[in-house]
Amino acid sequence: MNLAMPRISWVKGMQSLHRASSAASRRTAASAFAARHISTTPTRSSTKNTEWVRSKLWKDGDAPGAADPYTQRPEDVPEDSAVTRLPREALEGTDPADKRPLAVRRSRLPFPATRNEAATPKEVGATDAAYEPATSLEDLTEMGTLSDWWDQPGHWSELDQFKAFASTEKVTDKATIEVYYRRALVEVLALQKTGALGEWATQKWAEGSRADLDAALAAEIVTQDGGAVLKGEAAAIASSLKQTTEAETEVTRPERISSEEAAEMIKAWDPSWKEIAVNDQMKFALRKRLYQLTGNLIPDAKLGAAATVGHLLTLTAKQPKAKRLAEILQKTEELVQLANVKVHDRRVSSIDREVAVGRWKLIEEELTKRELPLTGTTDVPKNREMQHLLGKV
């Protein structure tokens, strides 16, 4: 009995192995049978169903495309053509071999050519009979590098030069800003009186000359019930804002008025013009015009809260924040008036102190006689004392 036990366990193991192998063979046969019955060729019933669905989707005329997109191709598409979804306008006039971006291909600027291998003298001689190969370095033509490509004539035209809308020099004087605000208000009222404000609100206005500035400031503004009425030649002021392309390129920016002159102009005006109410269209035109003349731009978040001309003037005439502490201290009158306090915009060195008392010229002469450096230690390395302490010298 004890001798048969190993034999029985061995037989059970063989039976389980036989069951596993038979089950695997049945799965393989089933998968092969299923694969044999799967085909991309549609049956007659599936073809009828496809035709019925296509007829319901496209009731007017024949349905586009092939009836079976898996086995058939449309007749109007050649076998070797690439299918694309781009519009016809994008495909016209394009070279498939040109891999450059579309913006570069459509640009009027002559971009540098792509890097190619130079032709051999034999190939050049076949196309050009007068070609003679160079025999020395001096005979070779010097080609420019990409660093100076845009500096060469013809590679960059005046049409491609950037022309800023706003003034490059930002006006910070409050009196000067108020004068330009007065001019902008007169121009807006003139356009409003002639009925052209809606058309000219989004266009660029001519900056004009000093005569145009004086003509706009000479017009009288009469306030009525929070509004304003312009007395003067409104048509002439409105026509001065119109400019052509030729006039825009030739006319330079007019000279700025000084702060003293602006302060004298302000004294002659009635301050009630700052209480004139402005609507959204007027605020947009005033901000755009002042940004063009002075370079000051009111943010949109603050522009919506403004209701009068005085509000706009307060937002525009705000002094810019100082970038350094010395600028703030120099503008502090309490410190400037003190006799024993002096504010410097940088660190005061020992040479500055000697220059202040007049001894630096004598020191400079003595150092030059002894051939000693005026500043620094020239060839003497730094941390000389530390090298002595460490015993390196």
Side-chain angles (χ1 to χ4, degrees), residues 314-334:
T314 303
L315 294 175
T316 310
K318 187 177 181 180
Q319 295 294 329
K321 295 183 179 179
K323 298 181 180 180
R324 302 176 59 186
L325 178 60
E327 298 178 5
I328 302 176
L329 297 178
Q330 289 175 351
K331 295 180 181 179
T332 306
E333 297 181 359
E334 291 79 3

Side-chain angles (χ1 to χ4, degrees), residues 31-343:
S31 61
F33 179 76
R36 187 170 63 250
H37 284 77
I38 295 174
S39 175
T40 57
T41 304
T43 59
R44 185 175 298 176
S45 60
S46 63
T47 305
K48 291 181 179 180
N49 295 335
T50 304
E51 293 177 355
W52 180 81
V53 172
R54 289 164 61 86
S55 63
K56 294 298 182 183
L57 292 176
W58 290 275
K59 295 183 180 181
D60 299 335
D62 298 335
D68 186 7
Y70 298 100
T71 59
Q72 301 178 11
R73 289 180 58 87
E75 296 179 358
D76 57 344
V77 180
E79 290 291 338
D80 56 345
S81 64
V83 180
T84 178
R85 295 182 179 180
L86 294 176
R88 184 177 300 176
E89 293 79 3
L91 297 175
E92 292 179 353
T94 59
D95 186 7
D98 194 354
K99 304 299 182 181
R100 296 180 303 168
L102 183 62
V104 175
R105 285 181 286 177
R106 293 182 177 179
S107 176
R108 63 174 178 267
L109 295 176
F111 285 88
T114 56
R115 297 183 60 182
N116 297 320
E117 294 183 0
T120 61
K122 187 176 181 181
E123 295 174 351
V124 178
T127 57
D128 188 5
Y131 170 74
E132 295 182 1
T135 57
S136 62
L137 185 62
E138 289 76 11
D139 297 339
L140 294 177
T141 304
E142 185 178 355
M143 303 296 293
T145 59
L146 293 179
S147 60
D148 58 348
W149 173 265
W150 301 113
D151 298 333
Q152 300 177 12
H155 292 177
W156 194 264
S157 62
E158 296 181 357
L159 298 176
D160 303 306
Q161 298 291 339
F162 174 73
K163 297 179 181 178
F165 175 79
S167 174
T168 55
E169 298 179 2
K170 191 173 182 180
V171 180
T172 58
D173 184 60
K174 186 176 180 179
T176 307
I177 293 175
E178 187 172 345
V179 170
Y180 284 112
Y181 241 123
R182 174 86 176 195
R183 175 188 178 180
L185 179 62
V186 170
E187 293 170 346
V188 169
L189 293 177
L191 291 174
Q192 196 174 32
K193 186 176 181 180
T194 56
L197 181 59
E199 178 185 358
W200 280 87
T202 57
Q203 298 184 17
K204 185 178 181 180
W205 301 352
E207 294 191 24
S209 59
R210 179 59 189 267
D212 297 329
L213 174 63
D214 296 337
L217 297 178
E220 185 181 357
I221 301 176
V222 180
T223 58
Q224 293 179 357
D225 300 332
V229 177
L230 184 65
K231 289 186 177 182
E233 296 294 335
I237 297 174
S239 62
S240 65
L241 300 178
K242 190 175 182 180
Q243 63 179 359
T244 58
T245 307
E246 292 79 7
E248 182 182 356
T249 55
E250 294 178 0
V251 176
T252 58
R253 295 186 182 273
E255 296 182 0
R256 301 289 184 190
I257 60 175
S258 60
S259 58
E260 294 79 8
E261 186 180 3
E264 294 296 330
M265 292 180 179
I266 294 173
K267 295 178 181 179
W269 298 336
D270 188 4
S272 60
W273 71 279
K274 299 179 183 179
E275 301 176 1
I276 298 174
V278 291
N279 53 21
D280 294 340
Q281 191 177 38
M282 293 179 63
K283 285 191 293 185
F284 175 79
L286 288 172
R287 181 183 72 159
K288 180 176 70 68
R289 182 58 167 168
L290 199 75
Y291 181 53
Q292 180 185 11
L293 296 176
T294 65
N296 294 275
L297 181 64
I298 304 176
D300 294 339
K302 297 181 180 180
L303 184 66
T308 62
V309 178
H311 295 165
L312 297 175
L313 182 60
T314 303
L315 294 175
T316 310
K318 187 177 181 180
Q319 295 294 329
K321 295 183 179 179
K323 298 181 180 180
R324 302 176 59 186
L325 178 60
E327 298 178 5
I328 302 176
L329 297 178
Q330 289 175 351
K331 295 180 181 179
T332 306
E333 297 181 359
E334 291 79 3
L335 293 177
V336 176
Q337 293 177 358
L338 296 177
N340 58 343
V341 175
K342 189 175 182 180
V343 180

Side-chain angles (χ1 to χ4, degrees), residues 318-370:
K318 187 177 181 180
Q319 295 294 329
K321 295 183 179 179
K323 298 181 180 180
R324 302 176 59 186
L325 178 60
E327 298 178 5
I328 302 176
L329 297 178
Q330 289 175 351
K331 295 180 181 179
T332 306
E333 297 181 359
E334 291 79 3
L335 293 177
V336 176
Q337 293 177 358
L338 296 177
N340 58 343
V341 175
K342 189 175 182 180
V343 180
H344 300 272
D345 57 351
R346 61 181 181 85
R347 184 181 65 86
V348 180
S349 62
S350 57
I351 297 179
D352 295 331
R353 298 189 185 95
E354 300 296 339
V355 170
V357 297
R359 286 197 297 258
W360 176 247
K361 291 184 178 180
L362 300 176
I363 297 175
E364 186 177 3
E365 292 177 359
E366 296 298 328
L367 291 175
T368 305
K369 291 179 181 179
R370 293 169 174 78

